[in-house]
C-alpha cells in the first residue's frame, strides 16, 4: 500500500521531469536542425563559389527574403514614382497607368532572363562573369571589361540619382512649409546630397552585421508608405476623376507626337524598377544563392509591377486634371503637389517626410550593392588600384569596406555635375539606366548568341522552350529602353538647358572603357581570376574548373592533374 502511494505520489514529479527533458531534447534537436541547415547552405554556397573559381570571403548573412528586400528597398517604389512623375504625367492618366503596366511587364521579362543566369551561376560579379563565360573567345575579354565598367559606374550613378532625389524630397518639405516662397540653390542641393552620401557610407560600414535584417524593416517601411498614400489620397480628395479619365484619357504636354509621349511615359517604371541586379551582387552573401538570387529578382520586380500599378491608378484618380499645374508644380515635386491638392499643407509635410525617409533607406541599400559589384571587379583586377580595394575588412564584419568608401567618393565627385545645371544632373543619373541596361543585356545576348551549349540551368529555370525567346525579348527591350533614355523629354529641338546629354555621359563611359581596354587593359585583363587555393580542392572541383577553361594566376602551386593537366604556376592566358 505504501509502495503504491509512493509510486503514485512520485509519478507526477517524474512525469514533469520527463516532459522537461523531452522539451529540452526537442529544443536541442530544433537548434541542431537549424544549425545543420545553415551549415548545409554555407557548404552549398562554398561549392558554387568554388565552381566559379572563387573562395568564400564574405559572410552569407542574407536570406531569400532579405535578398528580395535589398532590391525592393533600392527600388523604393513610391519615392521613385514620386521622383519620376515628370516623365509620365505629360502623357496623362493613360501614360501613368498603362505606361507603367506595359513597361513593367517587359522589365519582368528581363528579370526572367536574368533569373535563369542567376540561378545557374550566382556570383557577386555575375554580369561580367556571365559575359566572359558565354561570349565567343574573340569578344569575351573586351565585352566582360565593358560590362564590368558599365555596371559599376551605373550603380554609382544610381547612388547619385537616389541621394539627389532624397535631397530634393527633403528640401521640398521646406518649400511646402514656406508656402512655396523659397527656392534652394544648387549649392544647397549638393550640400544636402553630399551629407546623405557620407551618412550612407558610414552606416554601410558599421551596420554590416544587421544589414540583412534591416532590409525587412525597409520593406515594411515601403509598404506602410504605400498603404497610407493609397488610403489617404482618395479620402482627402473631394473631386475625384472617374474611370473613363483614369484609364482612357491620353494627353500630350510635350511637342513630341502623342504616341511618342506615351512611350516616354515608360521612363517612370524604367527609372523605378532598376535595381534587381543587386540580388546578383549579393550572391556571395546569400544563403542558398541558387534560389535566393532568382526569386529575389522576380519578387522585387513583380511587387513593383503590381503595387506600382495600384499607386498610379490612385494618383490618376486624385490628380488635378490641369496636369500642367502639377508637373512640376509650385513645390518642384509633382508628388508634393498631388498631396497638397488632396490633403493640405500639414499632411503634405508629414507624407513628404515619410517619402524622403524611405528614399534615405534606398540610398543605403544601393551603396551596399554598388560596393559588392566594385569589390568583385577589383577582385578580378579590373579596377584602378584593385590591389588597394580588394581586401575584405574582418573588423567591420567581413565586408568590402574600401570599395564602400570608393563608391562614396566617386559619387561625391560625379555629383558635382549637379552644380552645373539640371540637364547635367539628369545626364548623370541616366548612368543608372543606360549603363545598367548594357550590363544586363550583354550577358543575356552572349548566352543566346554564342553560349547556349554551355548554359546549365539551375534550380530556377524558365524551361527549354521559353528560356531562349524570353532572352531575345529581353535583349530587344533593353536596346529600346536604352535609346529611350537618350531622348529629350519635352520635345525635339530643345533649348540647351533642356537638352538630354545622356548620350554624352554614357558614351564617354562606354567608349572610355573600350579605349582603356584596347590601349592597356588587353595586356593584362583576361577575365575573371581564380582566387582559390587549388591544394584545398577535390578532384571533382578541379574538373569543374577545367571545364570553365579558367587558369590560376600564380596564387598557389597547381598539381599536375588540375585544370586538365595545366603546367604548375602557368599564368592565365
Amino acid at each position: 500500500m505504501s509502495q503504491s502511494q509512493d509510486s503514485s505520489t512520485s509519478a507526477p514529479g517524474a512525469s514533469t521531469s520527463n516532459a522537461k527533458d523531452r522539451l529540452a531534447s526537442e529544443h536541442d534537436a530544433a537548434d541542431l536542425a537549424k544549425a545543420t541547415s545553415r551549415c548545409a547552405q554555407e557548404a552549398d554556397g562554398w561549392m558554387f563559389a568554388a565552381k566559379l573559381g572563387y573562395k568564400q570571403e564574405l559572410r552569407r548573412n542574407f536570406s531569400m527574403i532579405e535578398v528580395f528586400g535589398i532590391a525592393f528597398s533600392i527600388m523604393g517604389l513610391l519615392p521613385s514614382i514620386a521622383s519620376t512623375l515628370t516623365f509620365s504625367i505629360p502623357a496623362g492618366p493613360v501614360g501613368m497607368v498603362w505606361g507603367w503596366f506595359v513597361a513593367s511587364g517587359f522589365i519582368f521579362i528581363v528579370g526572367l532572363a536574368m533569373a535563369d543566369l542567376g540561378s545557374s551561376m550566382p556570383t557577386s560579379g555575375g554580369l561580367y562573369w556571365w559575359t566572359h563565360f558565354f561570349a565567343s573567345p574573340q569578344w569575351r575579354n573586351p565585352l566582360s571589361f565593358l560590362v564590368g565598367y558599365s555596371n559599376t559606374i551605373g550603380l554609382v550613378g544610381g547612388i547619385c540619382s537616389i541621394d539627389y532625389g532624397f535631397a530634393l524630397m527633403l528640401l521640398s518639405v521646406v518649400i511646402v512649409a514656406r508656402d512655396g516662397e523659397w527656392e534652394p540653390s544648387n549649392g544647397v542641393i549638393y550640400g544636402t546630397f553630399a551629407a546623405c552620401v557620407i551618412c550612407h557610407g558610414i552606416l554601410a560600414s558599421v551596420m554590416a552585421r544587421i544589414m540583412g535584417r534591416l532590409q525587412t524593416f525597409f520593406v515594411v517601411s515601403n509598404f506602410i508608405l504605400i498603404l497610407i498614400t493609397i488610403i489617404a489620397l482618395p479620402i482627402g480628395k473631394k473631386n475625384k476623376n472617374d474611370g473613363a479619365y483614369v484609364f482612357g484619357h491620353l494627353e500630350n504636354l510635350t511637342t513630341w507626337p502623342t504616341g511618342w509621349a506615351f512611350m516616354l511615359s515608360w521612363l517612370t517604371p524604367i527609372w523605378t524598377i532598376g535595381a534587381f541586379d543587386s540580388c546578383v551582387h549579393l550572391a556571395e552573401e546569400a544563403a542558398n544563392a541558387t534560389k535566393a538570387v532568382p526569386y529575389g529578382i522576380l519578387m522585387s520586380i513583380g511587387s513593383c509591377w503590381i503595387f506600382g500599378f495600384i499607386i498610379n491608378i490612385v494618383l490618376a484618380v486624385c490628380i488635378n486634371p490641369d496636369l500642367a499645374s502639377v508637373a512640376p508644380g509650385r513645390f518642384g515635386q509633382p508628388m508634393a503637389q498631388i498631396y497638397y491638392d488632396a490633403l493640405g499643407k500639414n499632411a503634405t509635410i508629414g507624407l513628404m517626410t515619410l517619402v524622403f525617409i524611405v528614399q534615405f533607406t534606398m540610398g543605403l541599400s544601393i551603396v551596399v550593392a554598388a560596393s559588392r559589384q566594385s569589390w568583385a571587379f577589383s577582385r578580378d583586377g579590373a579596377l584602378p588600384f584593385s590591389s588597394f580595394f580588394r581586401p575584405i575588412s574582418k573588423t567591420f564584419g567581413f565586408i568590402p569596406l574600401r570599395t564602400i568608401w570608393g563608391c562614396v567618393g566617386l559619387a561625391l565627385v560625379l555629383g558635382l555635375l549637379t552644380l552645373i545645371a539640371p540637364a547635367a544632373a539628369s545626364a548623370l543619373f541616366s548612368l543608372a539606366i543606360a549603363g545598367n541596361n548594357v550590363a544586363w543585356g550583354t550577358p543575356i545576348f552572349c548566352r543566346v548568341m554564342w553560349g547556349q551549349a554551355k548554359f546549365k540551368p539551375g534550380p530556377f529555370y524558365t524551361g527549354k522552350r521559353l528560356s531562349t525567346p524570353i532572352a531575345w525579348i529581353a535583349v530587344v527591350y533593353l536596346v529600346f529602353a536604352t535609346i529611350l533614355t537618350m531622348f529629350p523629354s519635352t520635345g525635339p529641338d530643345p533649348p540647351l538647358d533642356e537638352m538630354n546629354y545622356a548620350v554624352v555621359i554614357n558614351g564617354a563611359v562606354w567608349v572610355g572603357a573600350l579605349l582603356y581596354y584596347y590601349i592597356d587593359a588587353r595586356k593584362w585583363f583576361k577575365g575573371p581570376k581564380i582566387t582559390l587555393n587549388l591544394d584545398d580542392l577535390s578532384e571533382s572541383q578541379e574538373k569543374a574548373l577545367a571545364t570553365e577553361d579558367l587558369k590560376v594566376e600564380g596564387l598557389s602551386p597547381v598539381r599536375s592533374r588540375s585544370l586538365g593537366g595545366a603546367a604548375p604556376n602557368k599564368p592565365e592566358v
Side-chain angles (χ1 to χ4, degrees), residues 156 159 194-207 364 367-368 370-372 374-375 388-389 391 393 396 399-413:
V156 175
I159 296 173
C196 178
V197 173
I198 292 170
C199 284
H200 285 148
I202 294 171
L203 294 175
S205 301
V206 301
M207 301 180 76
L364 176 58
V367 167
V368 172
S371 67
R372 273 48 173 186
S374 302
W375 171 76
F388 172 78
F389 288 114
S393 171
F396 285 87
I399 60 169
L401 182 68
R402 295 181 181 181
T403 57
I404 288 174
W405 286 98
C407 291
V408 166
L410 182 57
L412 291 172
V413 172

Side-chain angles (χ1 to χ4, degrees), residues 52-109:
L52 300 180
Y54 298 125
K55 64 182 179 182
Q56 185 67 45
E57 297 182 74
L58 304 174
R59 289 282 173 87
R60 292 188 178 270
N61 294 323
F62 287 81
S63 66
M64 182 188 297
I65 294 299
E66 291 163 350
V67 170
F68 151 74
I70 201 164
F72 188 75
S73 62
I74 292 173
M75 293 174 187
L77 184 56
L78 198 141
S80 293
I81 290 174
S83 299
T84 56
L85 280 173
T86 50
F87 294 117
S88 57
I89 287 177
V94 166
M96 295 169 64
V97 174
W98 296 117
W100 179 276
F101 188 84
V102 175
S104 297
F106 281 108
I107 296 170
F108 191 81
I109 291 174

Side-chain angles (χ1 to χ4, degrees), residues 227-565:
L227 190 63
I228 291 173
T229 297
I230 62 177
I231 292 175
L233 277 178
I235 292 175
K237 184 68 174 177
K238 294 181 179 179
N239 299 315
K240 302 178 185 66
N241 301 311
D242 59 21
Y245 179 84
V246 170
F247 296 105
H249 182 72
L250 180 63
E251 199 155 331
N252 185 4
L253 301 182
T254 74
T255 56
W256 291 110
T258 301
W260 193 247
F262 172 76
M263 300 309 300
L264 289 171
S265 73
W266 288 24
L267 289 172
T268 295
I270 287 171
W271 277 91
T272 300
I273 313 176
F276 47 87
D277 63 313
S278 59
C279 299
V280 176
H281 304 312
L282 288 175
E284 293 177 48
E285 294 175 81
N288 199 8
T290 55
K291 293 183 179 178
V293 171
Y295 286 111
I297 291 171
L298 298 178
M299 288 163 61
S300 60
I301 298 174
S303 298
C304 285
W305 185 4
I306 295 168
F307 288 102
F309 186 58
I310 294 170
I311 291 168
N312 276 285
I313 290 173
V314 172
L315 294 179
V317 168
C318 300
I319 198 169
N320 184 344
D322 181 12
L323 299 178
S325 69
V326 178
R330 54 191 288 227
F331 308 117
Q333 288 290 319
M335 195 71 188
Q337 190 67 56
I338 294 171
Y339 280 145
Y340 190 89
D341 292 341
L343 304 170
K345 177 179 176 178
N346 292 334
T348 299
I349 291 173
L351 286 169
M352 289 302 294
T353 299
L354 289 177
V355 169
F356 77 66
I357 289 173
V358 173
Q359 183 105 358
F360 184 85
T361 68
M362 294 165 56
L364 176 58
S365 296
I366 198 170
V367 167
V368 172
S371 67
R372 273 48 173 186
Q373 158 61 20
S374 302
W375 171 76
F377 210 34
S378 67
R379 176 176 59 182
D380 291 320
L383 288 180
F385 311 109
S386 286
S387 60
F388 172 78
F389 288 114
R390 165 84 177 73
I392 292 294
S393 171
K394 297 179 181 178
T395 304
F396 285 87
F398 292 87
I399 60 169
L401 182 68
R402 295 181 181 181
T403 57
I404 288 174
W405 286 98
C407 291
V408 166
L410 182 57
L412 291 172
V413 172
L414 291 176
L416 291 171
L417 287 173
T418 62
L419 294 172
I420 300 174
S426 297
L428 168 64
F429 304 151
S430 72
L431 289 170
I433 306 303
N436 280 327
N437 281 354
V438 168
W440 301 339
T442 303
I444 297 171
F445 172 79
C446 289
R447 177 208 146 185
V448 291
M449 186 68 184
W450 295 301
Q452 198 74 311
K454 292 191 287 184
F455 175 69
K456 296 179 181 179
F460 175 89
Y461 183 40
T462 52
K464 188 174 182 180
R465 291 185 178 181
L466 293 178
S467 183
T468 300
I470 284 173
W472 279 116
I473 293 171
V475 169
V476 172
Y477 163 77
L478 288 170
V479 171
F480 173 75
T482 302
I483 295 171
L484 196 64
T485 63
M486 308 296 176
F487 276 79
S489 59
T490 56
D493 300 321
L496 290 177
D497 61 341
E498 295 181 6
M499 187 67 183
N500 188 340
Y501 295 97
V503 66
V504 177
I505 295 290
N506 288 279
V509 171
W510 298 329
V511 174
L514 290 174
L515 284 176
Y516 179 31
Y517 173 80
Y518 282 107
I519 292 172
D520 181 57
R522 65 182 176 84
K523 302 171 186 175
W524 46 265
F525 180 77
K526 307 300 178 183
K529 296 179 183 177
I530 290 178
T531 62
L532 287 166
N533 184 334
L534 295 189
D535 289 327
D536 295 333
L537 294 183
S538 67
E539 185 172 358
S540 62
Q541 289 172 333
E542 291 181 6
K543 288 181 179 179
L545 293 175
T547 63
E548 311 296 340
D549 195 29
L550 295 170
K551 298 181 173 61
V552 179
E553 190 175 324
L555 292 176
S556 64
V558 184
R559 291 188 293 274
S560 60
R561 65 181 174 83
S562 68
L563 300 180

Side-chain angles (χ1 to χ4, degrees), residues 86-278:
T86 50
F87 294 117
S88 57
I89 287 177
V94 166
M96 295 169 64
V97 174
W98 296 117
W100 179 276
F101 188 84
V102 175
S104 297
F106 281 108
I107 296 170
F108 191 81
I109 291 174
V110 175
L112 287 170
M114 192 180 292
D116 276 345
L117 295 174
S119 182
S120 174
M121 295 176 290
T123 176
S124 293
L127 299 174
Y128 71 85
W129 202 103
W130 302 334
T131 299
H132 189 270
F133 180 78
F134 288 118
S136 68
Q138 178 184 0
W139 295 106
R140 61 173 47 161
N141 288 341
L143 286 180
S144 176
F145 197 76
L146 172 65
V147 166
Y149 268 95
S150 190
N151 192 210
T152 301
I153 301 298
L155 286 168
V156 175
I159 296 173
C160 295
S161 176
I162 289 173
D163 286 359
Y164 187 78
F166 164 83
L168 294 180
M169 294 291 179
L170 187 153
L171 293 171
S172 73
V173 172
V174 180
I175 297 172
V176 173
R178 296 188 180 183
D179 297 314
E181 296 180 358
W182 176 75
E183 183 177 350
S185 66
N186 287 342
V188 170
I189 295 173
Y190 179 79
T192 308
F193 158 81
C196 178
V197 173
I198 292 170
C199 284
H200 285 148
I202 294 171
L203 294 175
S205 301
V206 301
M207 301 180 76
R209 290 179 176 86
I210 61 170
M211 191 59 68
R213 293 191 293 275
L214 279 176
Q215 302 311 313
T216 302
F217 169 73
F218 294 166
V219 170
V220 171
S221 300
N222 270 277
F223 279 115
I224 289 174
L225 179 58
I226 291 169
L227 190 63
I228 291 173
T229 297
I230 62 177
I231 292 175
L233 277 178
I235 292 175
K237 184 68 174 177
K238 294 181 179 179
N239 299 315
K240 302 178 185 66
N241 301 311
D242 59 21
Y245 179 84
V246 170
F247 296 105
H249 182 72
L250 180 63
E251 199 155 331
N252 185 4
L253 301 182
T254 74
T255 56
W256 291 110
T258 301
W260 193 247
F262 172 76
M263 300 309 300
L264 289 171
S265 73
W266 288 24
L267 289 172
T268 295
I270 287 171
W271 277 91
T272 300
I273 313 176
F276 47 87
D277 63 313
S278 59

